[in-house]
Amino acid sequence: MNEIINVIKTRRSIRRFLPEQIKDEEIQTIIEAAIHAPSGHNEQPWHFTVIQNKELIDHFSNVIKKLMAESEVEWIASMGRNEKLHIFYNAPTVIVVSGRKNAYSALIDCSAATQNMLLAAHSIGLGSCWIGLIRFLFKIEEEVRKLALPEGYEPFFAVALGYPDPTKQPRPIERKRDVVNYIK
Ligand SMILES: Cc1cc2nc3c(=O)[nH]c(=O)nc-3n(C[C@H](O)[C@H](O)[C@H](O)COP(=O)(O)O)c2cc1C
């Protein structure tokens, strides 16, 4: 099978990581993949904050869980109360993806960049998970300031990254097939 198709089809969200930190070259490869994503009007309106400070990652996880526990949505509240849950699955690296506020299509562009990151990570043997739940953190200005974003940017989501724990990896999941129609 074509290598790219194989990477796309075998990527899974990884939620068990080894504690060992990933290499700087690996981060560079992943960021390079991100910045080669397409973007509306070629604005490339993204920014990436690479966090490798365990204390800060744990702190963010705790803040997010506290806010989730207060949610009116039961599955979110129950996740927030789950003592065993770490929002970033104890990944040694977390990359926050932010977009320029006045860009034409920042959220879409940042999503494309994020998918590139997940695929690049998988292609070099790293595990990754897209973390949308980080949005709870973004409600608190004081926490967002800790990201030291450039002026005019807002954070959208995060990617947890690390070496996958080889003993506990997910199997392929069924994909919905009835999602296409053809007009010829
Ligand atoms: C926008 C978005 C937000 C997501 N947020 C989370 C998250 O906060 N935590 C998590 O564990 N997985 C999160 N995921 C991963 C999905 O749960 C996962 O992609 C889906 O279950 C399919 O599994 P797969 O990635 O292994 O194909 C998110 C995925 C997307 C696209």
Side-chain angles (χ1 to χ4, degrees), residues 27-179:
I27 302 273
Q28 284 320 312
T29 300
I30 289 166
I31 298 290
E32 273 291 305
I35 65 174
H36 281 81
S39 61
H41 200 223
N42 188 26
E43 290 189 354
Q44 306 178 36
W46 36 60
H47 180 84
F48 306 95
T49 307
V50 181
I51 309 174
Q52 296 188 313
N53 179 319
K54 180 166 170 45
E55 216 174 291
L56 186 62
I57 294 172
D58 290 349
H59 168 76
F60 282 165
S61 173
N62 289 333
V63 172
I64 292 163
K65 283 177 66 183
K66 202 160 163 256
L67 292 169
M68 285 172 66
E70 293 163 7
S71 170
E72 284 168 12
V73 181
E74 185 39 38
W75 69 266
I76 294 179
S78 125
M79 277 181 87
R81 290 192 300 266
N82 180 351
E83 282 178 18
K84 286 190 191 147
L85 176 72
H86 188 287
I87 293 295
F88 306 101
Y89 305 103
N90 293 300
T93 295
V94 171
I95 303 183
V96 176
V97 183
S98 305
R100 217 184 65 229
K101 285 180 188 166
N102 63 357
Y104 173 65
S105 51
L107 182 60
I108 300 168
D109 304 338
C110 287
S111 300
T114 300
Q115 175 67 353
N116 273 11
M117 290 164 77
L118 306 187
L119 294 175
H122 179 49
S123 78
I124 58 172
L126 294 181
S128 68
C129 190
W130 188 317
I131 307 291
L133 289 170
I134 196 176
R135 72 188 163 83
F136 283 89
L137 185 79
F138 305 151
K139 294 178 181 173
I140 305 181
E141 256 179 57
E142 187 192 339
E143 301 297 339
V144 174
R145 271 199 294 276
K146 292 177 185 164
L147 298 173
L149 296 180
E151 191 60 34
Y153 281 72
E154 61 182 326
F156 292 136
F157 22 68
V159 174
L161 280 170
Y163 298 122
D165 178 343
T167 64
K168 291 167 186 148
Q169 286 318 318
R171 284 191 287 273
I173 50 176
E174 266 310 303
R175 300 292 165 172
K176 293 180 185 172
R177 300 280 167 185
D178 185 20
V179 292

